[in-house]
Amino acid sequence: EPEVTQTPSHQVTQMGQEVILRCVPISNHLYFYWYRQILGQKVEFLVSFYNNEISEKSEIFDDQFSVERPDGSNFTLKIRSTKLEDSAMYFCASSQDFGGREQYFGPGTRLTVT
Amino acid sequence: AQTVTQSQPEMSVQEAETVTLSCTYDTSENNYYLFWYKQPPSRQMILVIRQEAYKQQNATENRFSVNFQKAAKSFSLKISDSQLGDTAMYFCALTMDSSYKLIFGSGTRLLVRP
């Protein structure tokens, strides 16, 4: 069964450093998403991406964040200058269609900023 | 603004018994979709069940079923014949035709006791 994959599973970085989180969505999916979950809290939407551009973003997704689909398979989230409060689980998701279609999640990347 | 509320932070159930997890939501849109996701200790987000708002019939997936009360804006999840592997955090989520994002509730931690 096709699945969303994410690398790395755990990333430790120092405050102020740049990180890139990588995702490979399900191959025939067209819509891609990033969510984050701070430990013990709810899952929060960051950004959605379709046709090589951002479709929607939340207020969390400020200028420190960017997304890219550098080739036909990868979907990346970059945080330019990490802060302590960026420590969280970051989930990538993909779907065949927007709106009502199911979003399938990757296993997540645990980001720890020290 | 759209919101999802899960009022039960924790629930427990004896193995083989039935448990119901509650969820209420608020949206002004006519067409929307509701989901239950399961998050086991591995923290992977797994889709459990999906319901379209325009469908009156409640969705069912094996031991999992929902009670969708549109007028009351209620969307509860019933787990029958609970198994130890059902122990997880359960999140209710909402998405609309007008937006790409999933809006999550705060989650209910379910413990299945042997």
Side-chain angles (χ1 to χ4, degrees), chain A residues 35 37 56 91 99-100 103 105, chain B residues 37 39 44 50 95 99 102:
Chain A
Y35 293 83
Q37 185 183 31
E56 187 175 1
F91 292 102
Q103 293 183 25
F105 283 73
Chain B
Y37 281 87
Q39 187 179 44
Q44 169 96 48
R50 167 181 182 260
T95 189
S99 171
L102 280 170

Side-chain angles (χ1 to χ4, degrees), chain B residues 51-93:
Chain B
Q51 174 82 42
E52 295 96 330
Y54 60 84
K55 287 190 178 178
Q56 292 188 335
Q57 186 172 5
N58 289 324
T60 299
E61 286 287 340
N62 301 314
R63 298 183 294 108
F64 298 87
S65 61
V66 298
N67 183 5
F68 174 47
Q69 301 289 326
K70 191 171 182 178
K73 294 185 176 176
S74 169
F75 182 62
S76 61
L77 175 70
K78 185 170 84 170
I79 306 174
S80 304
D81 185 25
S82 297
Q83 300 176 0
L84 297 179
D86 295 334
T87 290
M89 196 78 166
Y90 286 82
F91 290 96
C92 179

